[in-house]
Amino acid sequence: MSDCIFCKIIAGEIPSSTVYEDEDVKAILDVNPAAKGHVIVLPKTHAADVFEISDESLSKAVCVAKKIAAALKKTYNCDGVNILQNNGEAAGQTVFHLHIHVIPRFKGDTVSVGWKPGEMPSDMAETAEAIRANLEV
Ligand code: 5GP
Ligand code: ZN
């Protein structure tokens, strides 16, 4: 993808601070981090989001995210780590090349990735059935 900023980073056309790289995956520091040590994991094959990416490519990126999380825990002795991934503008995605955020977390820090829990729905069985009906596994 010639106009994709992450493809350009992967190709070495735009500099990045690389934490890990192999044949399929590159992990770099986020340029506008939520916290020190915020890493983004990039599958090297371009896919805009979770709806486009192959299982193989996603699996490789997730395994790297797991290793990055362990490295962040060792490096910063953080209390927790968020591993998260946005799909679509409505979900907060701003770069349309799938990537996985790995963010060190500390008790009482000011990082915000949460949501306000709703009331327990009365139609949970119907909701689960509606989703099951569209599952392709
Ligand atoms: P999204 O909002 O799509 O889930 O996350 C995109 C992330 O990419 C943001 O956290 C943003 O700071 C990061 N980002 C955007 N452009 C660049 C860049 O050129 N270099 C690096 N290292 N990170 C970038
Ligand atoms: Zn790309």
Side-chain angles (χ1 to χ4, degrees), residues 3-23:
D3 59 348
C4 171
I5 191 158
F6 286 173
C7 281
K8 286 181 179 159
I9 286 173
I10 289 160
E13 292 163 18
I14 294 175
S16 63
S17 301
T18 303
V19 170
Y20 174 82
E21 182 159 18
D22 64 26
E23 208 180 314

Side-chain angles (χ1 to χ4, degrees), residues 5 20 26-27 35-36 38 40 42 67 77-78 84 91 94 96 100 112 120 136:
I5 191 158
Y20 174 82
K26 188 175 175 88
K36 189 176 177 68
H38 179 168
I40 45 179
L42 317 175
K67 288 188 191 305
N77 194 27
C78 46
L84 57 94
T94 58
F96 295 90
I100 302 170
S112 167
M120 183 173 163
E136 288 167 23

Side-chain angles (χ1 to χ4, degrees), residues 1-133:
M1 283 280 289
S2 57
D3 59 348
C4 171
I5 191 158
F6 286 173
C7 281
K8 286 181 179 159
I9 286 173
I10 289 160
E13 292 163 18
I14 294 175
S16 63
S17 301
T18 303
V19 170
Y20 174 82
E21 182 159 18
D22 64 26
E23 208 180 314
D24 306 299
V25 180
K26 188 175 175 88
I28 63 173
L29 291 181
D30 195 297
V31 81
N32 296 123
K36 189 176 177 68
H38 179 168
V39 170
I40 45 179
V41 180
L42 317 175
K44 287 192 173 176
T45 302
H46 180 92
D49 54 29
V50 76
F51 306 109
E52 273 190 13
I53 196 166
S54 69
D55 287 357
E56 191 189 4
S57 185
L58 181 61
S59 302
K60 285 174 176 162
V62 169
C63 289
V64 170
K66 178 184 174 181
K67 288 188 191 305
I68 300 290
L72 292 179
K73 197 154 175 51
K74 235 174 138 178
T75 307
Y76 298 110
N77 194 27
C78 46
D79 301 314
V81 174
N82 285 120
I83 296 179
L84 57 94
Q85 190 271 316
N86 300 322
N87 299 283
E89 209 176 326
Q93 187 174 12
T94 58
V95 178
F96 295 90
H97 175 130
L98 185 143
H99 51 282
I100 302 170
H101 296 268
V102 190
I103 306 171
R105 298 298 306 273
F106 294 88
K107 279 176 195 148
D109 70 23
T110 55
V111 177
S112 167
V113 292
W115 59 86
K116 188 168 161 273
E119 295 293 318
M120 183 173 163
S122 58
D123 60 348
M124 289 179 81
E126 292 90 331
T127 301
E129 173 52 30
I131 297 166
R132 268 201 308 272

